Amino acid sequence: MAKINLDRDKVDQCRSIAEHLVHPVQKYIHLHSTVSIERSILRLMGLTGAEELPDMPPYPLANMILDKLDKRRLPLGIAAWMASARNDHPKLSIEKIAAKIINGEIDINTLPEPPNADITKKILAPWVQDGIARIDASRKHKERMRGRMNRVRLPLRYLIVATGNIYEDVKQAVAAAEQGADIIAVIRSTAQSLLDYVPVGATTEGFGGTYATQENFRIMRQALDEASNRLGRYIRLTNYSSGLCMPEIAVMGAQENLDYLLNDSMYGILFRDINMKRTFVDQYFSRLVVSRAGIIIQTGEDNYLTTAEAYENHHQVLASHFINEQFAKKAGLRDEQIGLGHAFEMDPDIEDSFIYELAMAQMIRDVFVRHPIKYMPPTRHKTGDIMQSHVLDAMFNLIGSATRQSVQLLGMATEAIHNPFLMDRFESLKSANYIFKAAASLFDELQYNNNGKLARRARTVLDNTLKYLEDINSMGLMESIEKGYFANMPRARDGGRGLDGIFQKARKYYNPFLEHLEPED
């Protein structure tokens, strides 16, 4: 395959600076936890239910327990207080202890100081072992399914369903799989990322999508498993682990056999105005869970090009890739689990825009050799003209095939008109399949001109990325976000949603899952 002759020393410098940038943030992460992480601990220990409340949708038991706990007790961690409760009621399940706390039979705020660490660990061991075993079983189930139906064609064809009704989504997802899709992404209901609890049950009336709920995950995964067995081809499932409940949704995805989660270290900060400290702490724990579950994360740098012009800002995308990669490695993710995202979003009126898009796609492939890169289709400059849209998608697919992108989200000719119909997806798959097949070996026959426009463009983007990272390094990552260095979206360090959900850990803070999930130094 053709490659660009990049300066590897500059690539190594970018990685080194990104590691240096992440280091102080990681120190902050290790000193703090959040209410969402504490709720995740309860979910991992098996507390997944909800309670019906008057004039409200069902509210998760994990939230109800955290709401009951005096904030002054939170720095020890919810696990410590659950151990104290179980010490008094050793024969009760976590659901029964939770019920007693919620109805007031156990006052969690007058429980004695938890036993010492060794006793606390012993008390919680059955719940913790069950939680880890469930994640491991999920990972092994997916490995068996992939091994049994190991027929991977790259790029993987990634299609979206977004009806707002999970049962209708299932019909459309199965139809897409039968037409050739390899990955189904279920779009999430609008603004779920701003909810500080996870909705419960099957969604039948979502807005722009369905809620990321444990029941929706289960329904879709079951349908795709059945389709996989019938087709003899494993169909992968994607959803979102982002927003104020990022760690909890990661736990749900790990328990319900999801293959991919959209999980970015900065997306929520930039595009949902979620506090940056909260997001950095949450993304770490969510990625610990994802790593153990064998899930591949997908990052959201493609979104940068919806607010910042692509030709002028490709270096922002590459800089963010280096930063996302370092955060992911801190959580123990292997290269093969870090699905960095980018997009074909340049203004088509720019002369040689195809060459510049090809340069960017080839450079990302060359820099991140083992990563399952996700390539997003053009959307920003589509106007509802289906002929123009079809041509743009065809050029995007040619680049995806030529540069061996791992995952290709297929564009729709009817983008900017309506939610895709079944026929829209069929036509998109037919077009992509034709291009992938017709040009399968084309770029094995070609080489890039080392002094040509494409190679010079790639080297310029790499140079700009290195300078950009050096500028960020001179001030620190959080300050650079405050100044709008990413996606031209400035965010205040102590602003945004969710800041009140962070707390500093006490010296005796206890999270029993960290010893099972954190990578060894």
Side-chain angles (χ1 to χ4, degrees):
M1 187 178 78
K3 288 181 178 293
I4 301 172
N5 185 21
L6 294 171
D7 186 333
R8 303 308 299 187
D9 287 341
K10 289 182 180 177
V11 173
D12 291 343
Q13 287 179 60
C14 288
R15 250 191 197 104
S16 177
I17 294 171
E19 185 179 14
H20 188 260
L21 274 169
V22 163
H23 182 70
V25 180
Q26 195 65 33
K27 287 178 70 176
Y28 179 89
I29 289 168
H30 286 309
L31 293 173
H32 293 79
S33 182
T34 72
V35 290
S36 184
I37 291 173
E38 300 304 310
R39 296 193 300 254
S40 302
I41 293 167
L42 292 173
R43 287 178 178 272
L44 282 166
M45 290 195 293
L47 190 66
T48 58
E51 187 164 306
E52 298 281 348
L53 297 174
D55 303 321
M56 281 187 64
Y59 194 55
L61 299 179
N63 281 71
M64 298 181 80
I65 296 294
L66 261 292
D67 292 349
K68 282 274 185 181
L69 185 66
D70 189 320
K71 284 187 180 298
R72 291 170 294 185
R73 292 190 152 216
L74 200 49
L76 284 181
I78 190 63
W81 299 111
M82 294 303 285
S84 183
R86 198 176 193 217
N87 197 37
D88 292 343
H89 304 276
K91 294 185 178 179
L92 295 186
S93 65
I94 190 168
E95 291 88 354
K96 289 184 176 175
I97 289 177
K100 285 182 177 292
I101 292 172
I102 291 166
N103 66 26
E105 291 179 56
I106 296 176
D107 185 351
I108 196 170
N109 293 316
T110 59
L111 287 170
E113 182 85 8
N116 68 51
D118 288 343
I119 296 176
T120 300
K121 183 176 178 179
K122 189 174 180 182
I123 292 170
L124 295 177
W127 294 345
V128 174
Q129 288 166 3
D130 285 351
I132 293 295
R134 185 169 179 183
I135 293 176
D136 289 347
S138 171
R139 185 187 67 249
K140 290 172 184 173
H141 170 76
K142 288 179 289 189
E143 289 170 353
R144 279 196 302 274
M145 291 287 281
R146 291 172 193 151
R148 190 158 58 85
M149 294 176 258
N150 188 22
R151 202 181 70 179
V152 176
R153 314 162 297 169
L154 296 181
L156 295 172
R157 287 90 167 147
Y158 179 117
L159 283 169
I160 285 172
V161 294
T163 68
N165 181 325
I166 191 63
Y167 298 107
E168 186 61 29
D169 278 353
V170 163
K171 294 177 187 173
Q172 299 214 4
V174 170
E178 289 170 346
Q179 292 162 2
D182 301 300
I183 303 173
I184 298 297
V186 181
I187 296 298
R188 200 164 57 165
S189 192
T190 303
Q192 183 180 349
S193 59
L194 305 182
L195 298 177
D196 214 348
Y197 70 96
V198 180
V200 177
T203 305
T204 55
E205 292 184 6
F207 299 92
T210 54
Y211 287 114
T213 72
Q214 192 135 11
E215 182 64 11
N216 285 342
F217 287 1
R218 189 178 301 125
I219 291 169
M220 184 58 79
R221 184 65 269 174
Q222 182 180 347
L224 294 183
D225 277 353
E226 291 171 1
S228 299
N229 286 323
R230 191 171 65 257
L231 298 170
R233 182 166 54 84
Y234 182 60
I235 311 300
R236 292 155 172 82
L237 176 59
T238 299
N239 212 291
Y240 296 74
S241 170
S242 59
L244 289 170
C245 294
M246 184 190 293
E248 294 165 89
I249 298 175
V251 170
M252 291 160 38
Q255 292 173 338
E256 301 302 335
N257 305 341
L258 266 68
D259 302 280
Y260 297 90
L261 282 171
L262 294 155
N263 177 284
D264 192 287
S265 62
M266 295 194 287
Y267 174 86
I269 303 166
L270 303 173
F271 297 101
R272 294 292 178 266
D273 196 18
I274 294 172
N275 177 262
M276 69 175 79
K277 296 174 184 173
R278 169 79 176 260
T279 299
F280 284 135
V281 176
D282 277 346
Q283 62 84 30
Y284 175 66
F285 191 71
S286 71
R287 289 178 174 191
L288 290 177
V289 174
V290 162
S291 176
R292 179 87 182 206
I295 293 172
I296 296 172
I297 63 164
Q298 292 177 325
T299 64
E301 284 88 354
D302 51 286
N303 293 282
Y304 292 9
L305 304 180
T306 62
T307 54
E309 204 282 319
Y311 180 78
E312 301 292 339
N313 294 286
H314 265 162
H315 61 281
Q316 287 192 26
V317 171
L318 188 57
S320 180
H321 282 162
F322 283 115
I323 293 168
N324 245 319
E325 179 190 46
Q326 290 304 316
F327 275 124
K329 286 180 177 294
K330 294 288 183 188
L333 286 164
R334 296 173 287 108
D335 288 351
E336 292 80 3
Q337 289 181 277
I338 307 172
L340 302 169
H342 69 115
F344 182 109
E345 282 288 18
M346 199 172 292
D347 184 345
D349 286 337
I350 295 175
E351 186 170 317
D352 288 327
S353 64
F354 180 80
I355 290 177
Y356 302 140
E357 293 282 15
L358 179 56
M360 186 66 180
Q362 186 66 63
M363 178 172 59
I364 289 174
R365 183 68 284 169
D366 289 354
V367 171
F368 302 100
V369 177
R370 292 193 295 273
H371 299 59
I373 302 297
K374 179 187 173 190
Y375 197 25
M376 301 288 284
T379 56
R380 180 177 178 177
H381 297 285
K382 287 187 174 179
T383 61
D385 177 344
I386 61 169
M387 300 307 293
Q388 183 224 26
S389 182
H390 185 61
V391 171
L392 285 173
D393 287 339
M395 296 175 85
F396 158 72
N397 287 332
L398 181 58
I399 290 179
S401 174
T403 57
R404 304 289 195 270
Q405 302 293 304
S406 309
V407 174
Q408 188 96 352
L409 197 161
L410 301 189
M412 294 291 138
T414 52
E415 178 79 33
I417 301 175
H418 56 67
N419 257 355
F421 297 150
L422 293 173
M423 193 63 192
D424 297 333
R425 292 195 193 90
F426 173 73
E427 292 292 349
S428 179
L429 271 164
K430 190 168 73 168
S431 173
N433 286 336
Y434 167 67
I435 292 168
F436 293 164
K437 194 169 186 177
S441 302
L442 174 63
F443 281 75
D444 293 336
E445 303 297 323
L446 305 175
Q447 293 293 322
Y448 300 121
N449 178 355
N450 195 38
N451 295 313
K453 188 173 281 190
L454 187 148
R456 283 186 279 118
R457 165 68 181 178
R459 288 196 289 269
T460 298
V461 173
L462 180 59
D463 288 346
N464 290 342
T465 302
L466 178 56
K467 184 176 183 309
Y468 203 65
L469 286 167
E470 288 171 340
D471 287 347
I472 294 170
N473 196 33
S474 68
M475 65 186 88
L477 182 57
M478 290 195 189
E479 187 172 343
S480 72
I481 295 172
E482 287 186 303
K483 291 185 175 180
Y485 265 61
F486 296 97
N488 300 346
M489 300 288 281
R491 297 298 187 194
R493 187 179 311 223
D494 292 320
R497 297 171 176 83
L499 179 63
D500 59 352
I502 307 172
F503 64 91
Q504 186 167 345
K505 297 175 186 174
R507 188 172 56 84
K508 293 182 181 177
Y509 172 84
Y510 185 56
N511 176 348
F513 290 98
L514 290 179
E515 65 183 89
H516 297 276
L517 301 177
E518 285 192 314
E520 296 179 2
D521 291 333

